[in-house]
Short mmCIF file of all heavy atoms in Angstrom, two decimals:
data_model
loop_
_atom_site.label_atom_id
_atom_site.label_comp_id
_atom_site.label_asym_id
_atom_site.label_seq_id
_atom_site.Cartn_x
_atom_site.Cartn_y
_atom_site.Cartn_z
N PRO A 250 -36.45 33.72 89.37
CA PRO A 250 -37.60 34.39 89.90
C PRO A 250 -37.06 35.87 90.24
O PRO A 250 -35.87 36.12 90.33
CB PRO A 250 -38.00 33.66 91.18
CG PRO A 250 -37.36 32.32 91.08
CD PRO A 250 -36.01 32.58 90.19
N TYR A 251 -38.07 36.78 90.49
CA TYR A 251 -37.68 38.12 90.73
C TYR A 251 -36.73 38.04 92.07
O TYR A 251 -37.05 37.39 92.97
CB TYR A 251 -38.95 38.98 91.10
CG TYR A 251 -39.57 39.37 89.90
CD1 TYR A 251 -40.90 39.08 89.78
CD2 TYR A 251 -39.02 39.99 88.73
CE1 TYR A 251 -41.61 39.51 88.57
CE2 TYR A 251 -39.70 40.32 87.65
CZ TYR A 251 -40.94 40.09 87.53
OH TYR A 251 -41.66 40.36 86.43
N PRO A 252 -35.55 38.76 91.98
CA PRO A 252 -34.62 38.70 93.03
C PRO A 252 -35.11 39.27 94.43
O PRO A 252 -34.57 38.96 95.40
CB PRO A 252 -33.41 39.45 92.49
CG PRO A 252 -33.85 40.38 91.54
CD PRO A 252 -35.06 39.54 90.89
N THR A 253 -36.03 40.21 94.35
CA THR A 253 -36.60 40.82 95.60
C THR A 253 -37.54 39.91 96.31
O THR A 253 -37.81 40.08 97.50
CB THR A 253 -37.48 41.99 95.22
OG1 THR A 253 -38.50 41.66 94.29
CG2 THR A 253 -36.63 43.11 94.53
N LEU A 254 -38.05 38.81 95.67
CA LEU A 254 -38.94 37.91 96.32
C LEU A 254 -38.23 36.76 97.10
O LEU A 254 -37.03 36.40 96.81
CB LEU A 254 -40.00 37.20 95.23
CG LEU A 254 -40.71 38.22 94.45
CD1 LEU A 254 -41.60 37.32 93.54
CD2 LEU A 254 -41.52 39.15 95.33
N ASN A 255 -38.86 36.29 98.10
CA ASN A 255 -38.15 35.17 98.73
C ASN A 255 -38.64 33.79 98.09
O ASN A 255 -39.42 33.76 97.22
CB ASN A 255 -38.45 35.17 100.26
CG ASN A 255 -39.95 34.84 100.60
OD1 ASN A 255 -40.56 34.22 99.95
ND2 ASN A 255 -40.42 35.63 101.63
N VAL A 256 -37.88 32.63 98.57
CA VAL A 256 -38.10 31.39 97.90
C VAL A 256 -39.62 31.02 97.95
O VAL A 256 -40.14 30.53 96.94
CB VAL A 256 -37.24 30.29 98.63
CG1 VAL A 256 -37.53 28.92 98.07
CG2 VAL A 256 -35.77 30.67 98.40
N LEU A 257 -40.13 31.22 99.04
CA LEU A 257 -41.68 30.81 99.32
C LEU A 257 -42.52 31.48 98.30
O LEU A 257 -43.39 31.05 97.71
CB LEU A 257 -42.09 30.98 100.64
CG LEU A 257 -43.52 30.60 101.00
CD1 LEU A 257 -43.68 29.08 100.81
CD2 LEU A 257 -43.85 30.92 102.48
N GLU A 258 -42.28 32.89 98.11
CA GLU A 258 -43.18 33.71 97.29
C GLU A 258 -42.95 33.31 95.78
O GLU A 258 -43.85 33.27 95.06
CB GLU A 258 -42.80 35.18 97.31
CG GLU A 258 -43.12 35.72 98.73
CD GLU A 258 -42.63 37.15 98.99
OE1 GLU A 258 -41.35 37.36 98.67
OE2 GLU A 258 -43.44 37.98 99.53
N ALA A 259 -41.69 32.92 95.47
CA ALA A 259 -41.37 32.52 94.04
C ALA A 259 -42.15 31.09 93.75
O ALA A 259 -42.69 30.96 92.75
CB ALA A 259 -39.88 32.32 93.87
N LEU A 260 -42.13 30.23 94.80
CA LEU A 260 -42.76 28.95 94.49
C LEU A 260 -44.40 29.12 94.63
O LEU A 260 -45.12 28.57 93.83
CB LEU A 260 -42.39 27.83 95.60
CG LEU A 260 -40.90 27.46 95.41
CD1 LEU A 260 -40.55 26.55 96.50
CD2 LEU A 260 -40.69 26.83 94.14
N ASP A 261 -44.77 30.01 95.43
CA ASP A 261 -46.16 30.34 95.53
C ASP A 261 -46.82 30.85 94.24
O ASP A 261 -47.88 30.44 93.88
CB ASP A 261 -46.40 31.39 96.66
CG ASP A 261 -47.81 31.68 96.83
OD1 ASP A 261 -48.42 30.99 97.58
OD2 ASP A 261 -48.27 32.78 96.34
N ALA A 262 -45.97 31.72 93.54
CA ALA A 262 -46.51 32.15 92.27
C ALA A 262 -46.74 30.92 91.28
O ALA A 262 -47.67 31.07 90.55
CB ALA A 262 -45.45 33.08 91.67
N VAL A 263 -45.86 30.04 91.31
CA VAL A 263 -45.89 29.02 90.39
C VAL A 263 -47.14 28.16 90.72
O VAL A 263 -47.93 27.77 89.84
CB VAL A 263 -44.66 28.09 90.30
CG1 VAL A 263 -44.82 26.87 89.42
CG2 VAL A 263 -43.40 28.91 89.98
N GLY A 264 -47.28 27.91 91.92
CA GLY A 264 -48.49 27.03 92.46
C GLY A 264 -49.74 27.79 92.08
O GLY A 264 -50.70 27.08 91.61
N ARG A 265 -49.85 29.05 92.21
CA ARG A 265 -51.10 29.81 91.82
C ARG A 265 -51.23 29.78 90.31
O ARG A 265 -52.41 29.57 89.99
CB ARG A 265 -50.88 31.19 92.25
CG ARG A 265 -51.15 31.46 93.83
CD ARG A 265 -50.87 32.95 94.20
NE ARG A 265 -50.91 33.15 95.58
CZ ARG A 265 -52.02 33.38 96.22
NH1 ARG A 265 -53.14 33.63 95.53
NH2 ARG A 265 -52.11 33.58 97.55
N ALA A 266 -50.33 29.87 89.68
CA ALA A 266 -50.44 29.80 88.14
C ALA A 266 -50.96 28.58 87.72
O ALA A 266 -51.65 28.40 86.74
CB ALA A 266 -49.05 30.18 87.50
N ARG A 267 -50.54 27.44 88.43
CA ARG A 267 -50.92 26.07 88.06
C ARG A 267 -52.26 25.68 88.75
O ARG A 267 -52.60 24.50 88.65
CB ARG A 267 -49.85 25.18 88.45
CG ARG A 267 -48.55 25.33 87.65
CD ARG A 267 -47.85 24.18 87.38
NE ARG A 267 -46.64 24.36 86.41
CZ ARG A 267 -45.44 24.17 86.89
NH1 ARG A 267 -45.16 23.84 88.03
NH2 ARG A 267 -44.49 24.55 86.01
N GLY A 268 -53.01 26.53 89.51
CA GLY A 268 -54.28 26.27 89.90
C GLY A 268 -54.23 25.55 91.22
O GLY A 268 -55.26 24.87 91.59
N LEU A 269 -53.29 25.66 92.12
CA LEU A 269 -53.29 25.10 93.35
C LEU A 269 -53.89 25.99 94.36
O LEU A 269 -53.81 27.21 94.30
CB LEU A 269 -51.77 24.72 93.85
CG LEU A 269 -50.95 23.84 92.93
CD1 LEU A 269 -49.59 23.59 93.68
CD2 LEU A 269 -51.73 22.58 92.69
N ASN A 270 -54.57 25.35 95.39
CA ASN A 270 -55.17 26.18 96.54
C ASN A 270 -54.12 26.33 97.51
O ASN A 270 -53.00 25.80 97.41
CB ASN A 270 -56.42 25.60 97.00
CG ASN A 270 -56.22 24.14 97.60
OD1 ASN A 270 -55.15 23.91 98.15
ND2 ASN A 270 -57.16 23.27 97.52
N ARG A 271 -54.43 27.18 98.50
CA ARG A 271 -53.44 27.49 99.50
C ARG A 271 -52.80 26.28 100.22
O ARG A 271 -51.60 26.29 100.36
CB ARG A 271 -54.15 28.34 100.60
CG ARG A 271 -53.48 28.90 101.67
CD ARG A 271 -52.48 29.99 101.29
NE ARG A 271 -51.15 29.57 101.06
CZ ARG A 271 -50.17 30.16 100.31
NH1 ARG A 271 -50.48 31.31 99.71
NH2 ARG A 271 -49.02 29.60 100.14
N ASP A 272 -53.68 25.27 100.54
CA ASP A 272 -53.09 24.17 101.32
C ASP A 272 -52.24 23.32 100.48
O ASP A 272 -51.27 22.89 100.78
CB ASP A 272 -54.40 23.30 101.81
CG ASP A 272 -55.16 23.92 102.83
OD1 ASP A 272 -54.69 24.87 103.46
OD2 ASP A 272 -56.25 23.53 103.17
N ASP A 273 -52.69 23.11 99.18
CA ASP A 273 -51.91 22.37 98.22
C ASP A 273 -50.50 23.17 97.99
O ASP A 273 -49.42 22.38 97.84
CB ASP A 273 -52.60 21.95 96.94
CG ASP A 273 -53.52 20.73 97.12
OD1 ASP A 273 -53.37 20.04 98.09
OD2 ASP A 273 -54.52 20.74 96.43
N ILE A 274 -50.57 24.36 97.87
CA ILE A 274 -49.27 25.04 97.76
C ILE A 274 -48.25 24.78 98.81
O ILE A 274 -47.20 24.40 98.69
CB ILE A 274 -49.51 26.58 97.47
CG1 ILE A 274 -50.20 26.84 96.18
CG2 ILE A 274 -48.12 27.37 97.71
CD1 ILE A 274 -50.55 28.31 95.94
N ASP A 275 -48.81 24.85 100.04
CA ASP A 275 -48.04 24.57 101.13
C ASP A 275 -47.54 23.17 101.19
O ASP A 275 -46.29 22.87 101.41
CB ASP A 275 -48.81 24.75 102.57
CG ASP A 275 -49.12 26.26 102.70
OD1 ASP A 275 -48.46 27.14 102.06
OD2 ASP A 275 -49.95 26.63 103.49
N ARG A 276 -48.45 22.28 100.83
CA ARG A 276 -47.94 20.80 100.87
C ARG A 276 -46.86 20.59 99.76
O ARG A 276 -45.88 19.90 99.94
CB ARG A 276 -49.18 19.88 100.55
CG ARG A 276 -50.02 19.86 101.78
CD ARG A 276 -51.32 19.01 101.48
NE ARG A 276 -51.13 17.82 101.04
CZ ARG A 276 -51.98 17.02 100.36
NH1 ARG A 276 -53.16 17.59 99.99
NH2 ARG A 276 -51.72 15.83 99.96
N GLU A 277 -47.04 21.21 98.49
CA GLU A 277 -46.15 21.08 97.45
C GLU A 277 -44.85 21.62 97.76
O GLU A 277 -43.76 21.06 97.47
CB GLU A 277 -46.74 21.73 96.29
CG GLU A 277 -47.73 20.86 95.49
CD GLU A 277 -47.19 19.68 94.86
OE1 GLU A 277 -46.68 19.77 93.80
OE2 GLU A 277 -47.17 18.55 95.51
N VAL A 278 -44.84 22.82 98.50
CA VAL A 278 -43.54 23.50 98.88
C VAL A 278 -42.85 22.60 99.91
O VAL A 278 -41.68 22.32 99.75
CB VAL A 278 -43.78 24.87 99.57
CG1 VAL A 278 -42.57 25.39 100.11
CG2 VAL A 278 -44.26 25.83 98.42
N ASP A 279 -43.60 21.95 100.79
CA ASP A 279 -43.01 21.03 101.81
C ASP A 279 -42.39 19.79 101.06
O ASP A 279 -41.23 19.37 101.46
CB ASP A 279 -44.05 20.49 102.81
CG ASP A 279 -44.36 21.59 103.74
OD1 ASP A 279 -43.73 22.68 103.82
OD2 ASP A 279 -45.57 21.45 104.49
N ARG A 280 -43.10 19.35 99.98
CA ARG A 280 -42.71 18.12 99.30
C ARG A 280 -41.41 18.35 98.55
O ARG A 280 -40.35 17.70 98.69
CB ARG A 280 -43.63 17.74 98.23
CG ARG A 280 -43.24 16.61 97.33
CD ARG A 280 -44.44 16.17 96.40
NE ARG A 280 -44.66 17.13 95.32
CZ ARG A 280 -44.13 17.03 94.13
NH1 ARG A 280 -43.32 16.04 93.87
NH2 ARG A 280 -44.43 17.83 93.21
N CYS A 281 -41.33 19.66 97.88
CA CYS A 281 -40.15 20.04 97.13
C CYS A 281 -38.98 20.34 98.15
O CYS A 281 -37.77 19.97 97.78
CB CYS A 281 -40.45 21.18 96.47
SG CYS A 281 -41.52 21.02 95.00
N HIS A 282 -39.32 20.84 99.22
CA HIS A 282 -38.25 21.07 100.32
C HIS A 282 -37.68 19.77 100.66
O HIS A 282 -36.53 19.60 100.85
CB HIS A 282 -38.87 21.77 101.55
CG HIS A 282 -37.96 22.60 102.28
ND1 HIS A 282 -36.74 22.20 102.57
CD2 HIS A 282 -38.19 23.83 102.81
CE1 HIS A 282 -36.21 23.18 103.37
NE2 HIS A 282 -36.98 24.11 103.38
N ALA A 283 -38.54 18.71 100.87
CA ALA A 283 -37.99 17.37 101.31
C ALA A 283 -37.21 16.79 100.17
O ALA A 283 -36.11 16.13 100.45
CB ALA A 283 -39.09 16.54 101.69
N LEU A 284 -37.63 16.99 98.94
CA LEU A 284 -36.99 16.23 97.80
C LEU A 284 -35.64 16.94 97.45
O LEU A 284 -34.76 16.26 97.09
CB LEU A 284 -37.92 16.39 96.60
CG LEU A 284 -39.08 15.27 96.52
CD1 LEU A 284 -40.05 15.64 95.26
CD2 LEU A 284 -38.56 13.87 96.29
N LEU A 285 -35.71 18.24 97.51
CA LEU A 285 -34.62 18.94 96.90
C LEU A 285 -33.70 19.73 97.88
O LEU A 285 -32.76 20.46 97.41
CB LEU A 285 -35.06 19.93 95.83
CG LEU A 285 -35.75 19.23 94.58
CD1 LEU A 285 -36.53 20.20 93.75
CD2 LEU A 285 -34.59 18.60 93.72
N ASP A 286 -33.99 19.53 99.21
CA ASP A 286 -33.33 20.32 100.19
C ASP A 286 -33.20 21.82 99.95
O ASP A 286 -32.03 22.37 99.73
CB ASP A 286 -31.86 19.66 100.41
CG ASP A 286 -31.08 20.17 101.54
OD1 ASP A 286 -31.85 20.68 102.53
OD2 ASP A 286 -29.92 20.11 101.64
N LEU A 287 -34.27 22.33 99.73
CA LEU A 287 -34.33 23.75 99.36
C LEU A 287 -33.69 24.72 100.41
O LEU A 287 -33.63 24.31 101.54
CB LEU A 287 -35.82 24.24 99.08
CG LEU A 287 -36.51 23.61 97.95
CD1 LEU A 287 -38.08 24.06 97.97
CD2 LEU A 287 -35.81 23.92 96.65
#
Side-chain angles (χ1 to χ4, degrees):
Chain A
Y251 287 126
T253 55
L254 305 181
N255 64 37
V256 173
L257 182 60
E258 288 169 321
L260 294 177
D261 180 81
V263 177
R265 283 172 184 271
R267 297 213 174 113
L269 301 185
N270 62 31
R271 182 73 268 157
D272 289 344
D273 277 340
I274 288 175
D275 291 342
R276 289 171 59 198
E277 283 290 275
V278 169
D279 288 345
R280 173 176 76 96
C281 292
H282 208 313
L284 280 172
L285 295 164
D286 188 24
L287 293 177

